[in-house]
Amino acid sequence: MKILNTLASIAIVATLFSCKKENSVGNNNNNNVEAKTSLNVAYATDPLQNMDIYLPAGRTTSTTKVMIMIHGGAWASGDKAELNPFVDTLKRRLPDYAIFNINYRLSEAPNNLFPTQEMDVKAAIEYIYGKRAEYAISDKYVLVGASAGGHLAMLQGYKYLTPVKPKAIISLSGPSDLNDMYNHPAGGNPLLSVLLASVLGKTPAQDLPLYTNSSPVNFIGAGSPPTLLLYGDADLLVSPTQADFVKSKLQTAGVTNQYILYNGSAHVDTWSPAVFFDSFNKIVAFVTANVL
């Protein structure tokens, strides 16, 4: 996918200009715990229920923060490998974070219709939390998602406060109100409504509660985590109004938030290296300020 090539380019740029080098991990710790990478670790029984785990050196249960990454693909395609360049860049910029890049079952009628994906993200987080002593990680979580992954990150972070409440959520082009997305598709494209109905198995007219319960914006409250929204104003897949809904609700609830709207940029998988580079800067600054 195009996002792989674009992220690969920005990863090279980030390597050259990042203020922190990956080999600095562990220089400021007082133990001998080594960095560890584990790929395709199962968190449940289906082959797609797996994750890649990147644990930093010198990690502890009191200090090591956690970043969980969720790929996009309209809930029906995609793979965690698409975010590998993203992982590499953030490992350099936030070397003390443990990073978990997760897969989930994909919606393919009549199997694995939504909310299967929501439940898989929840199961993955419960698995990670249950292994916190073994992994030597803290309970300070950040959820990061692109496109459908942004939707899943927000839904998990706003809807579920157990077993752990995230300290921050980052959505790149993520949908927030599925009912509105169906009734007012980006660019007026009716095929987007058809696609959404195929993922959920029903239209809003057939099952409005399904759309309501699957929309992150409906779960925002005063206790919601700080949120960073990164969107393009020329997106013809996910309208930036989806971010407007979230920002409005967060502001009304008094929740810390930041909304970046990239002029002339479309969906996240088409962003330029310059936009990605800026988005990484924004992500690092946001989590540094809000995940303490």
Side-chain angles (χ1 to χ4, degrees), residues 237-258:
L237 294 178
V238 177
S239 169
T241 58
Q242 294 286 312
D244 294 336
F245 297 147
V246 176
K247 179 178 176 61
S248 178
K249 278 286 192 77
L250 290 171
Q251 287 188 269
T252 299
V255 176
T256 298
N257 68 91
Q258 184 179 9

Side-chain angles (χ1 to χ4, degrees), residues 25-26 28-29 31 33-36 53-67 94-100 128-129 132-142 164 167 291-292:
V25 176
N28 298 315
N29 63 74
N31 58 59
V33 179
E34 297 182 352
K36 181 178 180 181
I53 303 173
Y54 306 89
L55 302 175
R59 59 193 178 273
T60 72
T61 56
S62 60
T63 62
T64 301
K65 300 164 187 176
V66 176
M67 183 169 287
L94 297 168
D96 296 326
Y97 268 76
I99 299 178
F100 297 80
I128 294 167
Y129 185 77
R132 62 193 183 281
E134 177 182 334
Y135 293 151
I137 56 175
S138 75
D139 60 357
K140 299 176 181 179
Y141 284 39
V142 178
V164 60
K167 298 295 184 182
V291 185
L292 305 175

Side-chain angles (χ1 to χ4, degrees), residues 184-190 192 235-239:
H184 304 99
N189 186 352
L192 296 177
D235 196 330
L236 294 179
L237 294 178
V238 177
S239 169

Side-chain angles (χ1 to χ4, degrees), residues 127-246:
Y127 176 89
I128 294 167
Y129 185 77
K131 294 276 190 176
R132 62 193 183 281
E134 177 182 334
Y135 293 151
I137 56 175
S138 75
D139 60 357
K140 299 176 181 179
Y141 284 39
V142 178
L143 306 184
V144 182
S147 191
H151 162 266
L152 291 169
M154 290 189 291
L155 188 61
Q156 171 68 35
Y158 299 149
K159 189 174 182 179
Y160 300 104
L161 302 181
T162 59
V164 60
K165 176 184 172 182
K167 298 295 184 182
I169 299 171
I170 300 163
S171 171
L172 298 88
S173 300
S176 67
D177 187 330
L178 300 192
N179 186 43
D180 182 86
M181 191 177 187
Y182 180 90
N183 290 311
H184 304 99
N189 186 352
L191 294 179
L192 296 177
S193 300
V194 173
L195 172 62
L196 186 59
S198 71
V199 168
L200 276 73
K202 295 179 180 179
T203 68
Q206 294 169 325
D207 195 343
L208 183 57
L210 173 62
Y211 280 73
T212 300
N213 290 326
S214 302
S215 296
V217 72
N218 294 324
F219 297 94
I220 293 173
S224 294
T227 302
L228 173 62
L229 304 165
L230 300 159
Y231 290 71
D233 71 351
D235 196 330
L236 294 179
L237 294 178
V238 177
S239 169
T241 58
Q242 294 286 312
D244 294 336
F245 297 147
V246 176

